[in-house]
Amino acid sequence: MRYGKYMFAQLKRMLKLAVGVFPTAMLLFVSLGIAGYYFFQSSIFTQNQNKFRIGIVGKIDETYLGFGISAVQTLDSSRFMVDFIPMSEDEARKKYQAGELTTYVMVPDEFLDSVVYGRNDVPITYVASEGQKGLGAFLMQELSKVVSRLVTSSQSSIYGMQRALVFEGRTEQLDEITDEINLKLINFVLNRTKLAELEELGLSKGLLIRQYYFCTILLLFCFLFGIVSAPVFLRRNQQLAKWMRIRGIGAAGQVLGEYIPYFVFLFFCTALPLFLVGRATGGLAFLRWKLGVGELIRGLLPLTMMIAALHFMIYELFHNPVANLLFQFIVTMGMGYVSGFFLPAAFFPDGLIALGRILPTGVALDYLSGIMLGSGGKGWKLGAYLTAFLVVSILARARKIQREV
C-alpha cells in the first residue's frame, strides 16, 4: 500500500510540474518537425530529384540533331530527368559558373556530317568542373557514356547492314531496310525502360527517405526530452530519499515510484502531438505507409519506457544541473550521429556502423524501423537496456541513501 501511495504522490507532483514542462516539450516537437522539413526539402536527397539542366551550344535548330533533341524532350522517358536548353557559349559559361546548369556541351557544325558519314572525327565538347565532383556531375558523366555507346552501336549496326547488302549486290533494298532498322533502333531506345522493373529500396533499413527521417526526428525528440524535463528531476527534495527509506520504501521502490509517472509523461508528450499530426495529415499519408497512427503509438510504449529509464539514470548519476544537461546533450547528439539520425549509417565505416547499432539510439532506430515496416521491432534489446538503466538507477539511489544516513 505504501508503494502505491508513494507512486500516486509522485504522479500528482508530475502533473503539477507538467504545466510548465509540457509547452516546452511541444515547442521542441514543433521545432524539430520544422527543422526536419526544411532539411529534407534542401538536402542532397531531394536536390537530386530535380531535373538536370544541360546547355546545348551550337546550331541545332535546322538539323537532324535538333529534331532528335526535340524528340527526346517529348517522347523519351529521360524528359523527366534532363532538360536540354539551346544557348550561346557565353551564356552557357555564365549560367554554369552561377550553378544554374548541371553542365553544357558544345556541338560543332561538322558534327552531324561526321556521324552521318561514319567518320566520327568531330567530337562534342562536354564541360565539367575540376576537383571534387558531386553526384550530379557523376550522373552526367555516366549519361554521356551511355549516349555515346547508343550512338556508336546504332551507327555500327546500320553501316554493317549496308556493307553486307552492297557485298551481296542488293543495293535496291538499301534505303528500305535502312529505314526499317532505324525505326527499330529508335523503338528499342524509347522502350528501354520496359527491360527492367523499378523498385525503390529506400534510404536505409528498407525505409523511404521521408519515412527514415520521420523515425529519426521522432527519436531525437524522445531522447532530447530528458533536457526539457529537467524541472521534474532538479526540483526534487534531496532529503526525501532518506525519509522514504526510514518509512520502509527502499531504493527500488523509490526509483520505480518516480520512474513510472515520468514514463507516462514522456509517452503522453510523444503520443499526443503524433496523434494530432496524424489527424491533420490523413493518418500520416505523406509517409506513404500502410501502418496506422494507432499502431505506431502502441509501438512507442516499449520505446519510451527504455528512453525514460535512460533519462532517469542520467539524473541519478549526475546531480550538478550544468554537467547533467551538457552530458545529456552531448551523449544524445553523439549517439544519434553514429546511429544514423543525421546521415544514414551506411555512410560510415563498418566499425562505426556496428557500434551505432548496439547503442541505445541504434537499438531504438532498429525497433521503430521494424514497427513502421510492419515486421515488428526487436523488443528484447529495448528490454535489456531498460533493465540495465533501472538497475543502475537503483544502485545509485541506494548509494545516495547510504551516504546520507
Side-chain angles (χ1 to χ4, degrees), residues 112-125:
L112 191 59
D113 289 338
S114 174
V115 173
V116 169
Y117 292 105
R119 299 193 305 271
N120 294 335
D121 55 352
V122 180
I124 289 179
T125 302

Side-chain angles (χ1 to χ4, degrees), residues 53-232:
R53 293 167 53 86
I54 300 178
I56 304 294
V57 178
K59 297 180 180 180
I60 62 174
D61 295 338
E62 301 177 357
T63 64
Y64 287 115
L65 183 59
F67 171 77
I69 291 176
S70 298
V72 167
Q73 290 287 76
T74 55
L75 301 175
D76 191 60
S77 59
S78 63
R79 68 185 184 274
F80 302 113
M81 182 181 70
V82 180
D83 276 336
F84 294 100
I85 308 171
M87 58 184 62
S88 66
E89 183 177 354
D90 290 339
E91 184 182 6
R93 185 184 302 109
K94 291 178 181 178
K95 289 192 175 184
Y96 179 68
Q97 292 174 348
E100 299 178 18
L101 294 177
T102 306
T103 185
Y104 68 93
V105 295
M106 294 186 291
V107 184
D109 296 338
E110 303 84 9
F111 170 75
L112 191 59
D113 289 338
S114 174
V115 173
V116 169
Y117 292 105
R119 299 193 305 271
N120 294 335
D121 55 352
V122 180
I124 289 179
T125 302
Y126 168 79
V127 179
S129 60
E130 297 181 355
Q132 186 177 4
K133 295 182 179 180
L135 182 59
F138 279 112
L139 287 176
M140 289 300 100
Q141 183 176 342
E142 292 302 314
L143 179 63
S144 66
K145 293 179 182 179
V146 170
V147 172
S148 177
R149 285 196 294 267
L150 284 174
V151 171
T152 55
S153 298
S154 301
Q155 185 188 62
S156 298
S157 64
I158 294 294
Y159 289 127
M161 175 274 298
Q162 291 178 345
R163 289 176 183 175
L165 289 180
V166 171
F167 182 79
E168 294 291 333
R170 299 166 56 186
T171 54
E172 70 281 356
Q173 297 178 287
L174 193 63
D175 293 339
E176 178 184 354
I177 296 180
T178 297
D179 292 340
E180 180 181 352
I181 293 182
N182 274 322
L183 291 174
K184 285 185 177 181
L185 290 173
I186 292 172
N187 186 61
F188 288 152
V189 171
L190 293 178
N191 292 298
R192 66 191 183 279
T193 54
K194 297 181 181 179
L195 298 175
E197 292 183 358
L198 176 64
E199 179 183 359
E200 190 172 358
L201 297 177
L203 179 64
S204 180
K205 303 181 186 297
L207 298 174
L208 303 180
I209 296 176
R210 63 190 66 189
Q211 296 171 348
Y212 181 85
Y213 278 106
F214 175 82
C215 289
T216 58
I217 290 172
L218 183 60
L219 289 175
L220 193 60
F221 166 76
C222 291
F223 279 99
L224 289 176
F225 188 85
I227 299 176
V228 176
S229 59
V232 174

Side-chain angles (χ1 to χ4, degrees), residues 262-278:
Y262 175 69
F263 149 67
V264 173
F265 182 50
L266 171 59
F267 177 75
F268 175 79
C269 289
T270 306
L272 178 63
L274 195 59
F275 173 77
L276 295 177
V277 172

Side-chain angles (χ1 to χ4, degrees), residues 243-397:
W243 289 109
M244 288 299 103
R245 178 67 183 86
I246 295 173
R247 291 175 176 269
I249 301 178
Q254 293 179 29
V255 167
L256 292 177
E258 297 171 19
Y259 159 75
I260 293 176
Y262 175 69
F263 149 67
V264 173
F265 182 50
L266 171 59
F267 177 75
F268 175 79
C269 289
T270 306
L272 178 63
L274 195 59
F275 173 77
L276 295 177
V277 172
R279 290 295 297 270
T281 59
L284 302 176
F286 65 95
L287 295 176
R288 291 189 292 174
W289 64 351
K290 299 179 180 179
L291 187 68
V293 178
E295 296 175 83
L296 175 61
I297 291 176
R298 286 193 294 272
L300 289 176
L301 271 170
L303 194 62
T304 49
M305 288 177 68
M306 185 271 286
I307 297 174
L310 172 63
H311 296 161
F312 198 95
M313 180 191 70
I314 294 175
Y315 278 105
E316 284 296 315
L317 293 176
F318 297 90
H319 301 291
N320 183 287
V322 176
N324 191 308
L325 298 179
L326 186 61
F327 177 81
Q328 283 201 63
F329 180 79
I330 293 175
V331 167
T332 296
M333 302 303 285
M335 291 194 306
Y337 180 79
V338 174
S339 299
F341 281 20
F342 307 103
L343 287 176
F347 283 77
F348 302 132
D350 293 339
L352 280 181
I353 294 176
L355 174 62
R357 290 181 66 90
I358 63 175
L359 292 173
T361 45
V363 171
L365 183 55
D366 282 340
Y367 172 82
L368 189 56
S369 301
I371 293 296
M372 292 194 66
L373 292 172
S375 59
K378 298 179 180 178
W380 68 270
K381 292 184 178 181
L382 295 178
Y385 269 119
L386 169 64
T387 303
F389 295 152
L390 288 179
V391 168
V392 173
S393 299
I394 292 171
L395 293 176
R397 179 65 63 89

